[in-house]
Amino acid sequence: MARGKLRIYLGAAPGVGKTYAMLSEAHRRVERGTDCVVGFVEHHDRPRTEVMLHGLEQVPRKDLEYRGTAFTEMDVDAVLDRAPAVALVDELAHTNVPGSRNAKRWQDVEELLAAGIDVVSTVNIQHLESLGDVVESITGVRQRETVPDEVVRRADQIELVDMSPQALRRRMAHGNIYKPDRIDASLSNYFRPGNLTALRELALLWVADRVDEYLQQYRGEHNIRSTWQARERIVVGLTGGPEGRTLIRRASRMAAKGSGSEILAVYIARSDGLTAASPKELAVQRTLVEDLGGTFHHVIGDDIPAALLDFARGVNATQIVLGSSRRKTWQYVFGPGVGATVARDSGPDLDVHIVTHGEVAKGRGLPVARGARLGRSRIIWGWLVGVGGPALLTLLLTHVDADLGLANDMLLFLTLTVAAALLGGLLPALASAAVGSLLLNYYFTPPLHLWTVSNNKNIVAIAVFVGVAVSVASVVDLAARRTHQAARLRAESEILSFLAGSVLRGETSLEALLERVRETFAMESVALLERAGDTAPWTCAGSVGDGRPLLRPEDADVDMPVGDHLALALSGRVLPAEDRRVLAAFAAQAAVVLDRQRLKSEADQARTLAEGNRIRTALLAAVSHDLRTPLAGIKAAVTSLRSDDVEWSDEDEAELLAGIEDGADRLEHLVGNLLDMSRLQTGTVTPLIREIDLDEVVPMALGGVPDGSAELDVPETLPMVAVDKGLLERAVANIVENAVKYAPEGEPVKVSASTLGERVEVRVVDRGPGVPDAAKDRIFAPFQRYGDAPRGAGVGLGLAVARGFAEAMGGTLAAEDTPGGGLTMVLTLRAVAGRPPDRADLSDPSAQVTQ
């Protein structure tokens, strides 16, 4: 029996319309005469979804009892007995009630598919097993119900049911998803615009990757090598030259013209690993292409045009960007060049762009020939073996009564030539070949002791000997050079890899980097010199070593400029030319480290100044704003008591005195907090951060508003928060007082608290006129009163003070729209680890969106 086909409707969040789309598809299939039944569909009391069930055959569910509660699950046996062509099974990631046939619903679906029944199902992106951690970091909710990614990937069809976050929140606010008593909590927690946007992006990217897999699989199965321009992929061919930056930027501008375009920069190195490309320049170009959103690839290939085209076709590229050749006119005698060859062989499916740049026709430059650096002793031994060896061998052969024959004599001389090449390189080997051929001619080739050769065969033999000797010496010398170069390049790559990694991780200080330069090149001292301008004197930014102090690059044995006003100076010995490439990389990294240290210092200073400005602003605001109210109350009470026109009763006097005492207490409490803020500004004290419960502080903050103007909902199960009690009280009081000012009469302000990941949020919700998005940041500026606030409503410092206090405690304060109208202030505080909140069972779909 053929396996059934699985079709999945994938959504970013509950309520986007997956079940509705699935039922609409079922009605279309029924109209076409397909035998389609409902195995299990949950409408969640949504009227429009429930209406869509009418007219569809529903297989009776199976009743189960668990811990005294009745549940219903899909009856797999009943669906198998019914044997429809198509079965609708909602909520693929659902966990079945204990006692069911399978633990998970996707396992039920697997049975139906194995029986040859096509299945149409639904699942949300947050239920994919591989995305559990990502979704938790975004929403703060850990999904307990998951489905393996492979189950979803095996689906024959995956259709994304998409909806913008704004539209989904409107559906929620209109009551199309949940009941009215759950709307506010859901919109304030799981269904935030940021959460929904992130989940939507996850869903789109996951489906896009799946589509790309389908495309690559299809192209592979059908052996399709031509490019399908499903989306623009631009390959940039790099040579390691300075023109690469121009090519990358040009490709970035081309990619910006089309949505979804992709940039892939590729550098092709020859298989021997030896190249004249600058590692420093390649590192700069790698950083540039990654900053522009592209990727960098390093490919090995001896035939550069073929390797570039193979790479481009392998990634399904649509365009190739190359630079105009840097070769001079006479160098074209060696071939048409990479650009012309790629353009000729690209075919009709690849567009090749040749970009001009400032390095055109300035010459490619040739690889610098490096000697083997065998050492003086080995070179001397090479010359001794190459020149003295043939003489000794001739002496030995002429005094030993043994006729070995000319062929064997040549092999012996050839052995000395190979030995000379191994010891001293090419020149001793060539000298050995020349001396050996002369000695063979004089002593061993008839006529003996003459420089002539009578037998033509012997002439050929000597010529072959010379040719073989030279060839073998060249090959051996070349192998020695390549071995030395490969070892050197490997050492350079290890040094550069360690250097780049340590610098990027921030593990290397400037002094440590300079010390490593000194150790690597065995120098006496190393200094990084800089100057402010072309004529300014040099100053030392950092130095290490015991050598003479370096005050100018000219005083150093080796200097490596970094830009116009920075140089790395070394004293101790003169470096060979081949070491300067690694030294250039060290110099560039030293400049990066110096810039990073200075940026860090400037950032610390800016942070300190900003902290001081913020605290001064909060201090001034509190003094000018919050001291007035208790002072006015105290003054009014004292004036009344001293009035001779009124005779106060004992109860009236007691009430006035109580008002004075209350105002004095509030002043004392506020002045204490302000003194702490003043000490914080001078750096002599920090906010008194303690672990407290919100239900100990928030009720106290409501004492300054009229009774009945605010409703409090702070659960006792919330984790403790790390805050300064006094600062938190003042912050919440200012926020609540501001909300009460703008709330309509008879509409109390709601003050609630909840958890979100490792944070605790205090939300103050009013149903006032609200604030446009453009003004949400301005309302936190000092002396700002939004709209037509009446006189006496304050001078506009309350929210500025609240935000200043919140940030001093390591929290944040932001404004959001209240669903249905109004403004919601969100005060975010750091939760204390070790006391997790009590959460509802996340297996309940309603619990997942209200936590």
Side-chain angles (χ1 to χ4, degrees), residues 237-239 241-244 246-247 250 320-328 332 336-340 352-364:
L238 302 178
T239 64
E243 76 280 0
T246 302
L247 303 184
R250 183 69 180 90
I320 298 178
V321 175
L322 298 173
S324 296
S325 178
R326 288 185 290 147
R327 297 191 299 175
K328 295 182 180 297
Y332 281 96
V338 174
V352 179
H353 302 267
I354 305 298
V355 179
T356 58
H357 49 82
E359 303 296 321
V360 174
K362 291 186 177 180
R364 294 184 305 175

Side-chain angles (χ1 to χ4, degrees), residues 24 34 45 152 201 410 494 497 501 510 514 580 604 645 791:
S24 299
T34 305
D45 296 326
V152 182
E201 183 177 11
M410 287 185 176
E494 291 177 353
S497 176
L510 180 60
L514 296 180
R580 293 184 66 87
D604 292 340
D645 300 335
R791 291 186 174 274

Side-chain angles (χ1 to χ4, degrees), residues 558-571:
V558 180
D559 71 283
M560 177 59 65
V562 186
D564 296 331
H565 305 135
L566 202 65
L568 189 64
L570 299 84
S571 66

Side-chain angles (χ1 to χ4, degrees), residues 584-622:
F586 272 107
Q589 294 289 14
V592 171
V593 171
L594 179 63
D595 289 342
R596 189 181 67 235
Q597 287 184 352
R598 289 179 174 174
L599 288 174
K600 184 177 182 299
S601 176
E602 293 175 0
D604 292 340
Q605 293 177 3
R607 191 179 301 109
T608 302
L609 292 175
E611 182 75 6
N613 291 334
R614 182 183 53 76
I615 294 176
R616 282 194 295 271
T617 301
L619 177 64
L620 176 62

Side-chain angles (χ1 to χ4, degrees), residues 650-674:
D650 295 340
E651 292 79 3
D652 294 335
E653 289 184 358
E655 183 177 353
L656 291 173
L657 291 173
I660 294 173
E661 182 179 12
D662 180 66
D665 290 340
R666 294 178 62 187
L667 280 176
E668 180 184 10
H669 184 67
L670 179 59
V671 168
N673 290 334
L674 294 177

